[in-house]
Amino acid sequence: MSSTTKLVKIIADIAIFLEFTDEEQLDPDLAIEMMEQMAAELQLLSDDDRKNISQLFQSISSEYSEEKCNFVKELPESLGLI
């Protein structure tokens, strides 16, 4: 696995944590704020990098269970990469 793919998987894992962690364990407002901050940083990447990352989200999505797989597939749009 390339370092870029590994970083995209880490981003996906963090996004899954923020989205699926029970609100008793994680403040929903803080989770949304973190997702927005992550999206803002990723949107600063070049068009080619955003396209590459979007493709990698699609590639790694199969490593997750069905609900999380769909979430990871939708991350490029949710994060404003496409």
Side-chain angles (χ1 to χ4, degrees), residues 8-77:
V8 168
K9 183 165 183 344
I10 291 167
I11 293 168
D13 290 344
I14 291 169
I16 287 168
F17 172 79
L18 294 171
E19 179 69 19
F20 292 95
T21 298
D22 186 281
E23 65 183 50
E24 291 178 14
Q25 296 177 344
L26 178 65
D27 182 320
D29 292 334
L30 292 176
I32 290 169
E33 184 179 326
M34 189 63 223
M35 284 291 284
E36 289 173 349
Q37 183 177 354
M38 190 165 45
E41 291 295 329
L42 290 169
Q43 290 168 16
L44 295 174
L45 295 170
S46 71
D47 289 343
D48 287 341
D49 286 341
R50 289 194 318 264
K51 182 178 179 181
N52 183 40
I53 287 171
S54 296
Q55 291 170 344
L56 288 171
F57 279 128
Q58 299 302 313
S59 296
I60 67 165
S61 65
S62 63
E63 297 178 23
Y64 297 93
S65 64
E66 186 174 337
E67 182 179 19
K68 292 177 182 174
C69 173
N70 291 332
F71 177 77
V72 172
K73 283 182 183 178
E74 295 171 1
L75 273 176
E77 187 172 348

Side-chain angles (χ1 to χ4, degrees), residues 1-14:
M1 181 180 290
S2 75
S3 59
T4 303
T5 303
K6 191 67 169 165
L7 287 172
V8 168
K9 183 165 183 344
I10 291 167
I11 293 168
D13 290 344
I14 291 169

